[in-house]
Amino acid sequence: YYPATLRHLARHGPKALGRFLESPLEQTRRARRVTKRPGNAKSQLINVVRGWLFPVESPDLCYVNNLVTAAQLIFLRELYPQARLCMYFHGGEVGGNRKVENEREIFRVVDSVVSNTRFSAAQIADRGCPPEKLAVIPVGFKIADYAPPADRRYRPDGKLRLVSVGRVSAEKGLLCALDALRQLLVQGFDGFSYSIVGVGTQLALLQAYVNEHGLSGHVSFAGELKKREVIEELQRSDVLLLPSAITATWAETQAACVQEALLMKCLTVTSVAGGVPESNAEEMRQFSVPPDDSAAIADSIRRIMALDDDSLRTLGEAGRTFALCYDIEDLMRKILVHATSGLPRGDPARFDSHRI
């Protein structure tokens, strides 16, 4: 939607130039505002194009989704001096993003910060976020979209159906999951299938591992799916695997795929990493594993294999009951209350859901 680097300018430049030609005086003023902060010629040029792409009319609230984006849009205070700025912090920088160095300047500029777990809130507080600006409010879901059938069946063909959903990269621990399945086969447990949903930098490595270790009859790669297709994949699965690791700059925070799986009455096998334990149903924590421990993953899968269908249904119901509290309408109301509280920069009576 806006250029992140110089090589994106070719795609966004014509639209930005059109915006400039529509109102050159206003866009010249905006260019001065977005370049008030010090920076090299490259970053200033990118900011000018970004500024021209944003609406001329000031919104009541700018909702910035993650720390890296906030660093790229640090000029929002100059561009919209009357708007309130709220940043949502989902956790540290993921692979491929350099560590944000100007976070204290970001915390000075924004009016409020929301984070999705107590774990991630502690992370952002350690990075200098004032506690009075911070609230813990998780990401929500439109519950009506997650409607498992009343007669939800487990292992319909006698095999436990495992699934992982998310980006296919090293920090997600999927190689560890595949090693756990290799161990199960060596031990004589072959009553499972495993679907990996997503794309990413480790996809070729995982595919090679599957071929080299005789897992091709058990493991499939679904690629990138649309939201509705992901929900359908969860409905066809019995257990979500989330074997995430911890890196120098990143750990799972809420792990939204866990709540999506629980809403579809899947069981969950997750690593004890970051905010995942607080975002998982208590009944599922018996299957939690340490990060980077394929033997523990294999053990949890074996224990789930040993459960009868009534036990699986009971656990599935308990998981869904837990996840129903992640109702997006309720949680977004709480975010808007936090984002618009305190001393308003504009008229607080102007805030309403349609304008925002």
Side-chain angles (χ1 to χ4, degrees):
Y1 300 101
Y2 60 84
T5 67
L6 279 177
R7 67 177 182 273
H8 297 142
L9 290 182
R11 184 167 82 243
H12 295 282
K15 183 177 181 180
L17 181 60
R19 293 281 181 87
F20 174 80
L21 294 175
E22 288 173 5
S23 52
L25 291 179
E26 173 59 28
Q27 297 296 10
T28 299
R29 285 193 289 268
R30 290 163 71 85
R32 292 196 190 102
R33 289 178 198 157
V34 302
T35 56
K36 283 177 66 175
R37 297 170 186 274
N40 58 37
K42 169 186 170 181
S43 64
Q44 297 288 36
L45 174 60
I46 293 173
N47 280 343
V48 167
V49 175
R50 290 169 177 166
W52 287 349
L53 290 170
F54 276 83
V56 172
E57 181 184 2
S58 175
D60 299 317
L61 171 67
C62 293
Y63 181 76
V64 183
N65 195 39
N66 75 49
L67 186 63
V68 173
T69 304
Q72 293 175 344
L73 304 182
I74 190 69
F75 59 79
L76 282 174
R77 172 56 63 229
E78 280 75 26
L79 197 62
Y80 301 125
Q82 296 303 312
R84 291 190 65 82
L85 306 183
C86 176
M87 184 189 78
Y88 203 110
F89 179 75
H90 297 265
E93 299 83 345
V94 299
N97 286 310
R98 289 180 295 179
K99 186 178 185 300
V100 171
E101 301 293 344
N102 64 334
E103 60 258 71
R104 291 185 181 274
E105 174 68 1
I106 294 170
F107 302 143
R108 187 187 68 78
V109 167
V110 301
D111 299 295
S112 55
V113 177
V114 178
S115 199
N116 52 6
T117 61
R118 293 187 297 275
F119 171 81
S120 56
Q123 283 185 315
I124 199 70
D126 286 344
R127 296 180 74 158
C129 179
E132 65 272 14
K133 291 188 176 184
L134 181 60
V136 178
I137 307 172
V139 172
F141 309 90
K142 187 177 178 182
I143 301 299
D145 289 343
Y146 300 84
D151 60 345
R152 215 283 197 201
R153 297 180 62 198
Y154 296 87
R155 298 178 296 207
D157 60 357
K159 290 187 175 182
L160 191 70
R161 301 165 298 174
L162 309 167
V163 65
S164 289
V165 179
R167 66 180 176 275
V168 181
S169 51
E171 68 272 12
K172 289 295 185 176
L174 298 176
L175 196 60
C176 194
L178 290 178
D179 188 59
L181 300 186
R182 180 194 62 78
Q183 294 178 40
L184 288 173
L185 285 181
V186 170
Q187 296 161 7
F189 295 92
D190 61 354
F192 64 85
S193 64
Y194 181 37
S195 175
I196 295 177
V197 178
V199 295
T201 56
Q202 215 179 32
L203 183 59
L205 178 64
L206 298 183
Q207 291 171 331
Y209 187 96
V210 166
N211 292 330
E212 291 169 10
H213 294 86
L215 291 169
S216 56
H218 298 271
V219 179
S220 60
F221 295 88
E224 189 172 15
L225 301 181
K226 296 178 180 178
K227 177 185 174 182
R228 182 68 250 170
E229 294 170 327
V230 170
I231 294 173
E232 291 169 356
E233 187 76 20
L234 291 171
Q235 183 170 308
R236 291 191 294 267
S237 302
D238 303 314
V239 180
L240 174 82
L241 295 185
L242 184 74
S244 301
I246 299 173
T247 73
T249 60
W250 180 88
E252 290 280 7
T253 54
Q254 181 178 328
C257 64
V258 172
Q259 296 90 58
E260 290 186 288
L262 293 173
L263 285 169
M264 296 307 295
K265 299 185 180 180
C266 283
L267 281 65
T268 58
V269 174
T270 62
S271 54
V272 183
V276 176
E278 64 186 275
S279 301
N280 196 11
E282 183 177 356
E283 291 82 359
M284 303 301 174
R285 295 175 198 167
Q286 60 184 302
F287 307 119
S288 296
V289 299
D292 304 311
D293 192 336
S294 58
I297 297 172
D299 179 67
S300 289
I301 294 172
R302 277 196 306 270
R303 287 190 287 120
I304 293 173
M305 284 179 168
L307 296 174
D308 58 34
D309 288 351
D310 285 342
S311 297
L312 293 177
R313 279 191 289 271
T314 298
L315 286 168
E317 291 286 351
R320 179 171 169 83
T321 298
F322 166 83
L324 288 174
C325 68
Y326 288 85
D327 184 335
I328 192 169
E329 293 189 12
D330 178 51
L331 295 172
M332 281 306 302
R333 277 192 291 269
K334 292 179 180 179
I335 288 174
L336 290 174
V337 167
H338 177 65
T340 59
S341 64
L343 295 174
R345 293 183 177 271
D347 179 2
R350 294 175 63 230
F351 289 112
D352 65 72
S353 59
H354 299 293
R355 289 182 59 84
I356 293 171

